[in-house]
Amino acid sequence: MSVQVLDGKLLAEEIKKRLQDEVGFIHNETGCLPLIVNVMIGNNHAACAYANSQKKAAEQIGINYRQDILDKDISAEEIIAHIKSLNEDKNVNGILVHKPVPGHIDYPIIANHIDVSKDLEGVNIVNVGKMLLGQTKIIPCTPAAAIEHIKSTGIDLPGKEVVIVGHSEIVGKPLSLLLLAELATVTICHIGTSEAGKLVEHVGRADVLIVAVGKAGLIKGEWIKKGAVVIDIGINRDGDKIVGDVEFEAAKQRASFITPVPGGVGPVTVVMLMKNAIEAFRLQNKKG
Ligand code: NAD
């Protein structure tokens, strides 16, 4: 059986075209374009690179994008005051606070001050609850990107064994809820699973395997079930290369579909932020 490598750049381009049409429609209807504000605390190189890729995607789609760079020593109260001013500004449709934030700032407290209808990353606790209940279309971007890749394979999810390795608040946990909503049979593995010596057994059952750990080559190719769909979210530096959490070449011998790192989930994640901005605009402009 030959494997298909899931090209994230290609998928991102396809989704961007759809979003361009949606933004065109919004502009015709309202005369407005959505505006995203990215709040950056401090100004480091990695954060700027990620922000630049967001800016580029926004420009391609026709969404306005602004970066508000705040001083790295700013107090939590001052950040909250800034966010409140963005909440009240009718021209601002979407807000995100770039992570990681400096050590003296408690990110969840900041996140909970982002207006629920402008919270582009779904991090306000109200949106976390709404996602649990299936009451929002604003979905955290990386889980949403993983789902887009899975759906692009055409796999029928109800009843499939989906194994997620990694149970973080931003990836593994939200993904598990989204896949439950698709009626998949979901197993979540984490460090405890590994320490109990059970990781290989769970990975070997997966029709769909999603890995978000941050350890290069943690998942051996030979563990993977023949024909599985493999979504690798991990990003690890290996010398001057970026690699995922799955042994890519060995996994290709067994998987039916697999995402590469880089060029798999990452490019789609950025586009999911744009999708959320359009959804936020709609939410704010809903009539009645
Ligand atoms: P995290 O660092 O918050 O948590 C790591 C998870 O891995 C935990 O659930 C932990 O229990 C588990 N884990 C650690 N060692 C393990 C082991 N030996 N066996 C099994 N499980 C183990 O995770 P995160 O913030 O979700 O990030 C995970 C990876 O995904 C990182 O490489 C990160 O860079 C990457 N990431 C990529 C994107 C993207 O858009 N492509 C977005 C977010 C995170």
Side-chain angles (χ1 to χ4, degrees):
M1 190 201 313
S2 68
V3 62
Q4 192 176 322
V5 176
L6 296 167
D7 184 337
K9 286 187 190 153
L10 204 66
L11 182 57
E13 288 307 316
E14 282 168 23
I15 300 170
K16 269 186 215 164
K17 284 200 192 100
R18 282 203 321 259
L19 299 184
Q20 263 168 357
D21 290 346
E22 288 186 42
V23 169
F25 184 75
I26 282 177
H27 190 248
N28 285 344
E29 286 272 292
T30 66
C32 300
L33 292 172
L35 169 62
I36 297 175
V37 176
N38 175 21
V39 178
M40 282 170 74
I41 305 156
N43 191 2
N44 73 59
H45 183 70
C48 283
Y50 187 48
N52 284 341
S53 65
Q54 291 175 350
K55 187 166 184 275
K56 194 171 152 206
E59 279 169 2
Q60 286 171 330
I61 293 166
I63 290 175
N64 291 322
Y65 183 91
R66 191 176 93 204
Q67 274 177 60
D68 287 1
I69 301 177
L70 309 182
D71 189 89
K72 68 173 174 26
D73 297 319
I74 194 170
S75 69
E77 291 70 27
E78 288 169 304
I79 300 170
I80 291 166
H82 188 78
I83 288 175
K84 283 187 175 163
S85 73
L86 297 175
N87 288 343
E88 281 157 22
D89 184 342
K90 292 216 167 0
N91 295 316
V92 175
N93 304 107
I95 303 167
L96 66 146
V97 175
H98 212 101
K99 291 185 291 277
V101 294
H104 68 285
I105 302 297
D106 190 344
Y107 178 79
I109 291 180
I110 301 294
N112 286 342
H113 282 87
I114 302 173
D115 186 280
V116 171
S117 76
K118 297 189 178 186
D119 172 24
L120 289 195
E121 295 182 303
V123 288
N124 182 307
I125 200 160
V126 174
N127 281 328
V128 176
K130 283 187 174 203
M131 197 188 59
L132 173 77
L133 299 173
Q135 291 178 1
T136 178
K137 288 186 184 160
I138 296 186
I139 304 296
C141 303
T142 303
I147 299 275
E148 289 284 342
H149 269 296
I150 294 168
K151 292 205 164 162
S152 78
T153 68
I155 192 172
D156 196 26
L157 279 170
K160 289 289 185 311
E161 293 283 347
V162 177
V163 176
I164 303 169
V165 188
H167 77 315
S168 69
E169 313 296 343
I170 58 164
V171 185
K173 284 184 190 170
L175 247 178
S176 67
L177 294 173
L178 296 169
L179 289 158
L180 276 177
E182 299 287 340
L183 296 181
T185 305
V186 182
T187 304
I188 311 176
C189 302
H190 39 68
I191 186 70
T193 320
S194 268
E195 287 178 357
K198 303 223 160 153
L199 189 60
V200 185
E201 158 189 338
H202 287 294
V203 168
R205 280 192 301 105
D207 299 311
V208 179
L209 174 69
I210 309 166
V211 191
V213 171
K215 288 190 178 157
L218 172 74
I219 306 296
K220 308 293 169 218
E222 72 209 35
W223 298 355
I224 291 166
K225 181 175 172 179
K226 277 218 156 128
V229 173
V230 179
I231 309 292
D232 190 352
I233 297 179
I235 302 174
N236 308 289
R237 196 160 274 289
D238 179 13
D240 57 357
K241 279 188 2 201
I242 300 287
V243 297
D245 290 342
V246 178
E247 283 185 341
F248 185 65
E249 287 306 324
K252 268 166 68 182
Q253 305 304 315
R254 299 180 68 84
S256 58
F257 294 90
I258 186 167
T259 56
V261 179
V265 175
V268 183
T269 298
V270 177
V271 182
M272 291 296 102
L273 186 75
M274 305 302 141
K275 190 175 179 214
N276 282 349
I278 294 169
E279 191 53 42
F281 184 96
R282 290 217 175 97
L283 218 57
Q284 291 150 36
N285 289 277
K286 207 156 70 181
K287 295 188 185 89

